[in-house]
Amino acid sequence: MCIQDMKEHVRENFDTSPAAYERYESQTGRFADLAERLEAAMRERQDGTLEWLLDAGAGSGASTRVFDREGRETVALDISGEMLRENGAISRIQADFDRLPFADRSFDGVAFTASLFLTPDPDTAAEEAHRVVRPGGTVGAVAPLGWTTADETDVFEQVGRESRSPTTADEIDAALRDHFDVVTGTWTFETTASNLRLFHAVPAMAARLYPRLDHEERVDRATELLEDVDGPLWQRWRWIVGTRGKGTA
Ligand SMILES: C[S@@+](CC[C@H](N)C(=O)[O-])C[C@H]1O[C@@H](n2cnc3c(N)ncnc32)[C@H](O)[C@@H]1O
């Protein structure tokens, strides 16, 4: 499948997902938590203010609600019109973060909260982020590392399936490292089997397990697959923050 077709699939997947996505978020607050941590990590490495921020892959607004406060000017950008429709930001734009409709050096920072791993072409997105961030500004990304049981077994290995995203955390790290001075780490959250099921009740998330099935069928199959998973679980996310050097062209 070509890159454009893959992106079209991602857009369609998220266009069917706002209600289930918001259900997961209101139950767990996970994406708001990730955005808060990411923003703090960016501020720590920022040279100067973090006032003009691009929320790249803003979705229905969990990350935007975190960024768009304390007088900050946040632009919410997303490829999915239906996710963006639920986003309460004043500045919203439907676009692909691989082709940003902004002038060079327009922002103090670009944040990809759980979004950069969805592009099959992270190098182009990293290049674009570098172009629109001013020298001394930052880029931030979080990418999923998966779900494990108490003995660190991958949940999907246990249920006999692979859970795959278009781009891995290592690939994102490598793409950003080409343009920015990068630091990285891992955040681990204790969670439950019921949250794992709620996460995979989002059609765009169930697509990682059953990409070829239609939206309803893939959620049904994911629910069935995860029905017997039990006990406390751990969900891990990799964070990556890069600073644009002042000498960089
Ligand atoms: C898991 S959601 C995260 C949304 C939001 N940042 C949050 O924290 O709730 C990922 C979002 O990235 C968007 N996305 C995926 N690929 C994109 C692209 N190439 N350009 C713009 N947005 C994209 C999806 O449409 C989706 O809304």
Side-chain angles (χ1 to χ4, degrees), residues 3 6-7 97-98 116 118-127 166-167 175:
I3 285 181
M6 283 172 83
K7 284 190 193 170
F97 51 54
D98 291 352
L116 194 49
L118 293 162
T119 179
D121 187 12
D123 295 325
T124 303
E127 210 175 304
T167 293

Side-chain angles (χ1 to χ4, degrees), residues 3 6 10 97-98 115-123 125 142-145 163-175 208 240:
I3 285 181
M6 283 172 83
V10 168
F97 51 54
D98 291 352
S115 56
L116 194 49
F117 72 99
L118 293 162
T119 179
D121 187 12
D123 295 325
V142 282
L145 291 173
S163 172
R164 219 185 283 139
S165 303
T167 293
T168 65
D170 282 345
E171 286 165 339
I172 291 173
D173 183 312
R208 290 159 53 138
I240 302 151

Side-chain angles (χ1 to χ4, degrees), residues 46-68:
Q46 185 84 10
D47 192 342
T49 56
L50 183 55
E51 212 166 285
W52 287 90
L53 187 65
L54 176 62
D55 188 3
S60 49
S63 50
T64 317
R65 290 190 286 275
V66 169
F67 298 144
D68 205 15

Side-chain angles (χ1 to χ4, degrees), residues 131-235:
R131 183 181 66 73
V132 303
V133 167
R134 66 161 172 81
T138 50
V139 64
V142 282
L145 291 173
W147 304 71
T148 54
T149 56
D151 64 1
E152 299 200 359
T153 308
D154 189 301
V155 167
F156 293 97
E157 191 182 304
Q158 229 184 12
V159 294
R161 287 250 3 153
E162 211 182 325
S163 172
R164 219 185 283 139
S165 303
T167 293
T168 65
D170 282 345
E171 286 165 339
I172 291 173
D173 183 312
L176 292 177
R177 224 166 259 280
D178 279 347
H179 301 279
F180 299 89
D181 298 329
V182 160
V183 285
T184 182
T186 304
W187 290 320
T188 304
F189 302 91
E190 186 172 352
T191 184
T192 62
S194 117
N195 284 345
L196 170 80
R197 284 187 280 274
L198 204 54
F199 186 85
H200 291 88
V202 180
M205 306 308 185
R208 290 159 53 138
L209 294 167
Y210 299 107
R212 289 190 186 79
L213 300 183
D214 76 31
H215 304 129
E216 280 175 21
E217 210 180 332
R218 78 166 69 121
V219 167
D220 289 348
R221 290 283 295 278
T223 308
E224 222 173 89
L225 179 80
L226 301 173
E227 191 167 61
D228 297 330
V229 177
D230 204 5
L233 300 177
W234 279 263
Q235 192 189 15

Side-chain angles (χ1 to χ4, degrees), residues 7 10-11 13-15 21-22 25 30-32 34-35 55-65 67 77-81 83-84 87 93-100 111-120 125 142 199 204-205 237:
K7 284 190 193 170
V10 168
R11 188 189 61 70
N13 288 341
F14 277 96
D15 271 351
Y21 193 92
E22 279 300 305
E25 181 60 12
R30 176 68 67 241
F31 292 102
L34 288 170
D55 188 3
S60 49
S63 50
T64 317
R65 290 190 286 275
F67 298 144
L77 175 142
D78 205 282
I79 204 167
S80 158
M83 288 292 276
L84 208 51
N87 191 308
I93 181 157
Q94 186 176 4
D96 183 344
F97 51 54
D98 291 352
R99 278 197 307 269
L100 291 174
F112 296 92
T113 311
S115 56
L116 194 49
F117 72 99
L118 293 162
T119 179
V142 282
F199 186 85
M205 306 308 185
W237 291 83

